[in-house]
Amino acid sequence: MSRQRLLWRLLGAALALTVVGLAAPPLFRLLVSPHGTANSVTGRRVYSSDPGPWTWRCESGRCVRALWQGGPQVSLDTCQWTCAAWEAPLWPRPTGALRLANSSAALPADLDVRLRLSNPQHEDTRDLLAAATERLARHLQLVRPAWADRVACDSARGATVARLTVLVRLDADGSRPTGHLTLDTDEGYRLQVRRESQDLQAEIDARSFFGARHALETLSQLAWWDPVSGCVRMLDSAIVKDAPKFRHRGLMVDTARNFIPLEALQRTVDAMASNKLNTLHWHLTDSTSFPYLSRALPTMARYGAYSPEQVYSMDDVSRLAEFARERGVRLVVELDVPAHAAAGWPTEQVSCSEQRGSAANAPLVQQHRQNENENGPQYRLEDRRERRAQHGGEEGPAWWELCGQPPCGQLPPADEAAFGTLRTLYQELRQASGASDVAHLGGDEVSAECWGGVRGERLWSLWGGFMRRAHRELVAASQGNPPTAVLVWSSELTAPHNLRRYFDPSTHVVQVWGGSKWNETLPVLLAGFRAVVSHVDAWYLDCGWGDFRSGGAGPCGPVATWQTVYSHRPWAAFPSGARSRLLGGEACLWSEKVDDQTLDVRLWPRAAALAERLWSDPPAGVHPDLPPPGSPQRDEPTLRRAYQRLSHHRERLVARGVRAEAMWPRYCHLNPGACF
């Protein structure tokens, strides 16, 4: 008998029992129930209002699962929110005062969300706040499972409100827009929630749109789905005072090695906003492809993009920049030069653009990036020439003698046509991306062989001269609004003996990407420069997935787990003066083995771990200030305490459409503390 025919017979028997007035067995009640759980017989979703046999009790500040044996039944999320404030699944954890009630109100499916401004604001600010409030309403709708319209909210289990009124007070000049994020923008806020009859009121005090937006994000996280009552619930009393520890909280995504559609980048920005990350560093082009369709120079994309469909127009850049701005994120577009430039560039403007050799027998001559040598990775031309002899001794340079991966390409050190091209591209991209105070010039991994084999002072002079000229072109292209923080990748040129010769501490910022044990970051800070940290062994999210050429371990590894990302605090031992010049950090995702299909799982929830590190920077040891004295949780390591909150936040991201990777077995989520 087929499974389908058996199901119909069982269903008919259940209906027959119901007709004659007999009680149907539990299996049959499940099959005909109009509410939602999964049917183990057919694999199809059926619906049940039964929340299951479990309840959660708050014991010493932790939720413990137990069999429900009568009395009030409590779901895990309700317990998590009402058990103890320090266990509440807010992400990232607020840095200031946090007072949360243990009571909540039910939100109806047709909740009326209203925005009120306490003082007149610039039209741009009003529009941004209105759009952010609309996203709050959508996020509250997404808390409710897709099948929940078939479940009636049991209002007898607590008060139900009809409205959520958001009152925003901006302590800023209302005649001026506050919707352009700078490194000096105050992103702090104070949020107070209280209930008055059927009106839930949220009062927000901030000094900028961005602070108010972060408060709305926190407000959206105060809601959860309660399967026991069949309602979306929200805390009806809360006070949160919050501000980030670092000004630059970023994520770098490479779209040159593999094309990533604009919609996927927008999805990434949405997820960044849910984590209060504020900078999307867009590595737009590289030697592999040039996907930017310039209005003035369209042939660069025609010959440099992977296909006519896999391009970003100037309008695409503008749309992404505005999409990001509305969500509290600045867009920083990078054209990496002088190295990493081949596809799309005119042949006469590219050095060493033709190389022989195949990827199949390419030797891996660069030491792994996680090398703990204080001097960083070693490049030895002798090694490369020896490998050439081993692979046939052919004349002419092989690509692996010139760069880290094919194809190689590098702009000449003093080509006027190339600098003219750069100015045109800078002008378009600055205009399209909103001309923020942050820009990125690239500038790393210059190949001496591409510039005639020069070494030492001569190489540094050519390299430094190129970077200075590129900076001048950027300033000229900015049309009176130049960036005040121009990032460059760390390299031999940013070593102490070169740094002040070629860069200006009032303008340039070094993005330090080497290993965390390399002595790079502190010397930059002690030299008076600002820095952004992106250590390869902690915050490179592409590491550990294998080499695309040989199938070996790859250029860096192992995989940086979310625990590794979260625990990385390289500034902990820095002197206070040096630490004050650390702007923050970025996680980097290079796309050799990433496209739209794998983007989300490579980023999340690991990028969320970075977000809390850069927003809250919780101490690496124990939490001395959160659980009260005598609590069993007081001496738990910070990392262990993050598991449950991040697990809840990961589910929040999934509900919002992010394909975040699973963190652990579901059992661990349902049994807080049981998996340690």
Side-chain angles (χ1 to χ4, degrees), residues 305-323:
Y306 288 131
S307 75
E309 294 77 29
Q310 293 179 309
V311 295
Y312 309 99
S313 68
M314 190 173 174
D315 288 340
D316 289 335
V317 177
S318 295
R319 282 196 294 272
L320 182 60
E322 182 61 19
F323 186 92

Side-chain angles (χ1 to χ4, degrees), residues 12 47 125 191 198 203 212 224 239 315 393 518 554 601 659 665 670:
Y47 298 93
T125 305
L191 168 67
Q198 286 197 314
E203 297 181 5
W224 69 94
I239 295 177
D315 288 340
W518 301 357
V601 294
R659 298 189 289 266
L670 297 174

Side-chain angles (χ1 to χ4, degrees), residues 290-308 310-314 343-346 421 424-425 428:
F290 194 97
Y292 173 60
L293 182 58
S294 165
R295 289 180 181 174
L297 303 167
T299 56
M300 296 188 75
R302 177 173 176 79
Y303 295 104
Y306 288 131
S307 75
Q310 293 179 309
V311 295
Y312 309 99
S313 68
M314 190 173 174
W345 287 86
T421 299
T424 299
L425 295 172
E428 286 190 4

Side-chain angles (χ1 to χ4, degrees), residues 13-177:
L15 293 174
L17 288 171
T18 303
V19 169
V20 298
L22 298 178
L27 171 62
F28 299 150
R29 285 205 301 271
L30 173 63
L31 289 172
V32 300
S33 172
H35 305 305
T37 60
N39 180 351
S40 60
V41 176
T42 66
R44 297 171 55 194
R45 178 168 292 283
V46 294
Y47 298 93
S48 173
S49 58
D50 180 7
W54 304 102
T55 188
W56 279 261
R57 299 192 301 262
C58 181
E59 296 182 1
S60 301
R62 171 174 289 154
C63 294
V64 178
R65 187 166 78 152
L67 280 172
W68 180 47
Q69 296 179 337
Q73 188 179 13
V74 179
S75 67
L76 172 60
D77 281 38
T78 298
C79 179
Q80 200 77 24
W81 275 107
T82 58
C83 181
W86 65 85
E87 294 285 0
L90 288 171
W91 197 275
R93 182 188 291 282
T95 57
L98 177 63
R99 295 202 290 272
L100 305 178
N102 59 6
S103 57
S104 62
L107 308 183
D110 59 349
L111 178 70
D112 181 13
V113 180
R114 302 180 182 182
L115 170 66
R116 291 174 48 207
L117 301 179
S118 67
N119 53 334
Q121 292 297 324
H122 188 276
E123 181 181 3
D124 181 61
T125 305
R126 292 200 309 269
D127 290 346
L128 288 170
L129 287 170
T133 305
E134 290 177 4
R135 283 191 296 278
L136 164 68
R138 287 200 298 271
H139 285 163
L140 293 178
Q141 287 292 334
L142 291 173
V143 173
R144 185 183 306 273
W147 47 266
D149 57 341
R150 305 193 187 188
V151 177
C153 177
D154 184 359
S155 58
R157 292 179 177 268
T160 300
V161 297
R163 290 176 304 279
L164 172 59
T165 302
V166 179
L167 173 65
V168 177
R169 287 187 289 262
L170 288 186
D171 183 12
D173 183 356
S175 64
R176 302 175 59 188

Side-chain angles (χ1 to χ4, degrees), residues 16 114 237 399 600:
R114 302 180 182 182
S237 179
W399 67 258
D600 288 13

